[in-house]
Amino acid sequence: MTNSPSITSPDAAMITDRTALQRSRPLATIGIWVICILIVGYAVIFGGYISTVIAFALIYSVFVSGLNIFMGLTAQVSFGQSAFAAIGGYTSAVLTTTYEWMPVPAMVVGIALALVIAFLIGFPTLRLKGHYLAMATLAIGLITYEIAVEWEPVTQGYLGISGIPPLGIGPFEAVSDRQILVTLSIIVILVALAITNIRRSRLGRAFAAIAGSEEAASALGINVAQYKLLSFLLAAVLASISGSLFVHVVGYVSPEVFGLHMVVQAFAMVYIGGLGTVVGPIIGALIVSLLPELFRSLRDSQDLAYGVALILILIYAPKGLAGLANALDARRAK
């Protein structure tokens, strides 16, 4: 029976650890949030070139948060998220420059278009698994890139679209560095709160079950295909928002923005920050964006130092910086 200590003690120890962790304050995780606030706060106060770097990092953190839903919470692989960023970015660019729409309605149309295309693509594609799914999503990103290049009457090809108006609602426009950073910070906070609620909801628990084992989740009555599609759609929404944010902050868009470099950069951010966590994509985007600036004085050795720094982080924090913080909090709770 289950009264044997050898059987009951692991579960009891696990419950005790979990209870202790819940009662203790996650200081290391709080520290990660504080670091994020300090980095953004420094850029807001001092402005200049660093504010541009942090603005791009905040836009990337929205993009990577979407990728994190699909990869971190649901344990699926996608190399095609840049396609939905391109859809959002080009929709905002065309509607605001050619048809003189306001930025917010243009962003909403971009989200709707990304959702429709993600549904049409995801419905048949997400029945694939593993590297087959990864290759299919990679093809989606490459096809979208080629469309952006070849559909010149709309996208202007490699010439790109310029003169895109800044972010704004009504009479307010985020023009200065501080206004842009504050606006982007509010959006990132809203995204973080949304993902926190998703993780705690029934939807998040279904994602976690699929991440553990699709067969076991299916045996529990979870519609795996439906929840994988929902995860894909949520990721597409955040990718579309990030694409729109980029074009309104920069005022220009071209196909190179949404190329493979964006995918590689996003993967580095999500793995260094921490898969499946809320703060991971944010700290990952900030660190990966800042590292090249820290090593800029090394000139010829800049890329080498950047690569070594990334490798060291992945060696000593294989679950990302947020995962390392969670491990430290768990150790303190024992």
Side-chain angles (χ1 to χ4, degrees), residues 32 267-275 280 283-292 294-295 304-325:
I32 295 287
F267 268 65
M269 291 173 178
V270 74
Y271 276 104
I272 287 173
L275 273 171
I283 188 68
L286 290 170
I287 295 295
V288 173
S289 299
L290 283 173
L291 278 180
L294 295 176
F295 297 129
L304 176 63
Y306 176 67
V308 170
L310 294 183
I311 291 171
L312 288 175
I313 291 174
L314 290 174
I315 288 175
Y316 292 103
K319 293 184 179 180
L321 297 174
L324 178 63

Side-chain angles (χ1 to χ4, degrees), residues 155-299:
T155 65
Q156 307 297 323
Y158 285 116
L159 187 62
I161 300 174
S162 57
I164 302 169
L167 288 170
I169 300 177
F172 170 76
E173 285 188 340
V175 180
S176 68
D177 291 342
R178 288 177 181 171
Q179 289 173 333
I180 291 172
L181 283 175
V182 171
T183 303
L184 292 176
S185 298
I186 292 171
I187 294 171
V188 170
I189 291 170
L190 292 176
V191 170
L193 290 174
I195 293 178
T196 300
N197 288 327
I198 288 174
R199 289 185 67 197
R200 294 173 178 172
S201 68
R202 182 178 179 181
L203 179 63
R205 290 193 290 274
F207 288 165
I210 294 170
S213 168
E214 291 188 22
E215 290 75 15
S218 181
L220 291 172
I222 295 172
N223 188 328
V224 173
Q226 178 181 319
Y227 280 101
K228 283 169 68 175
L229 182 58
L230 277 173
S231 177
F232 192 61
L233 294 177
L234 288 171
V237 167
L238 292 181
S240 175
I241 292 173
S242 67
S244 294
L245 291 175
F246 179 86
V247 302
H248 288 299
V249 168
V250 177
Y252 172 78
V253 64
S254 66
E256 292 90 344
V257 175
F258 307 108
L260 277 178
H261 175 74
M262 182 180 194
V263 178
V264 174
Q265 192 89 333
F267 268 65
M269 291 173 178
V270 74
Y271 276 104
I272 287 173
L275 273 171
T277 62
V278 177
V279 70
I282 301 172
I283 188 68
L286 290 170
I287 295 295
V288 173
S289 299
L290 283 173
L291 278 180
E293 306 306 322
L294 295 176
F295 297 129
R296 189 169 294 278
S297 60
L298 298 179
R299 297 182 180 179

Side-chain angles (χ1 to χ4, degrees), residues 87-137:
I87 291 169
Y90 272 105
T91 303
S92 284
V94 171
L95 291 180
T96 53
T97 56
T98 305
Y99 300 99
E100 299 183 350
W101 282 38
M102 297 296 289
V104 173
M107 288 177 68
V108 173
V109 173
I111 292 170
L113 191 58
L115 275 173
V116 171
I117 294 176
F119 179 82
L120 295 176
I121 293 172
F123 189 74
T125 306
L126 294 179
R127 298 179 186 280
L128 302 174
K129 295 183 180 179
H131 57 276
Y132 294 105
L133 176 60
M135 294 304 294
T137 54

Side-chain angles (χ1 to χ4, degrees), residues 18-34 200 279 321-322 324-333:
R18 190 181 303 165
T19 304
L21 183 59
Q22 289 171 346
R23 288 176 179 175
S24 67
R25 293 183 178 179
L27 294 180
T29 303
I30 292 173
I32 295 287
W33 281 108
V34 171
R200 294 173 178 172
V279 70
L321 297 174
L324 178 63
N326 288 337
L328 292 174
D329 288 329
R331 182 177 296 180
R332 283 184 57 254

